[in-house]
Amino acid sequence: MDYTRGIALACSLSPLLGGFYLHRLDVAMTRPDLFYLRYMDDVLVLAATRNKLRQGICVVNRLFEELELQKHPDKTQLGLSSGASLSWESVTPSNSLLG
């Protein structure tokens, strides 16, 4: 497969460029009612209630749209954590410019 955009897999610039590109998402998700974790272009959002999670997902969706990113359908999960009262969403963009 020939790629015409993005950076090479395992490139040492990936974390730096990812940090710059997704900084707005990191800032927007810094909220006391959510647990947000991002590693490169993988995103994890945890919330104590389904309503709080929906609010967080709305922020992620809005910023993904603004950044022209899409959630990868096979890598996006939404559910209730078993054994705990946390709702969660795990997201990996499918058209990331980051590799």
Side-chain angles (χ1 to χ4, degrees):
M1 183 179 282
D2 292 333
Y3 293 99
T4 59
R5 63 184 208 179
I7 58 177
L9 189 62
C11 176
S12 61
L13 290 176
S14 293
L16 181 63
L17 294 175
F20 284 130
Y21 195 73
L22 296 172
H23 178 71
R24 286 177 46 207
L25 179 62
D26 295 342
V27 170
M29 295 302 289
T30 304
R31 301 170 39 155
D33 57 341
L34 295 174
F35 175 81
Y36 164 77
L37 179 67
R38 181 180 61 79
Y39 177 74
M40 304 294 274
D41 60 355
D42 295 326
V43 174
L44 177 67
V45 180
L46 301 174
T49 67
R50 183 170 286 170
N51 186 45
K52 294 294 182 186
L53 180 63
R54 285 184 181 142
Q55 292 173 12
I57 291 169
C58 285
V59 172
V60 170
N61 289 341
R62 180 178 50 83
L63 285 170
F64 270 34
E65 185 175 317
E66 290 175 15
L67 296 170
E68 298 182 14
L69 296 173
Q70 297 174 349
K71 295 179 186 177
H72 191 293
D74 296 334
K75 295 183 178 180
T76 300
Q77 302 171 7
L78 179 63
L80 185 62
S81 175
S82 62
S85 58
L86 291 175
S87 298
W88 53 272
E89 180 175 47
S90 176
V91 173
T92 299
S94 61
N95 63 339
S96 175
L97 297 175
L98 309 176

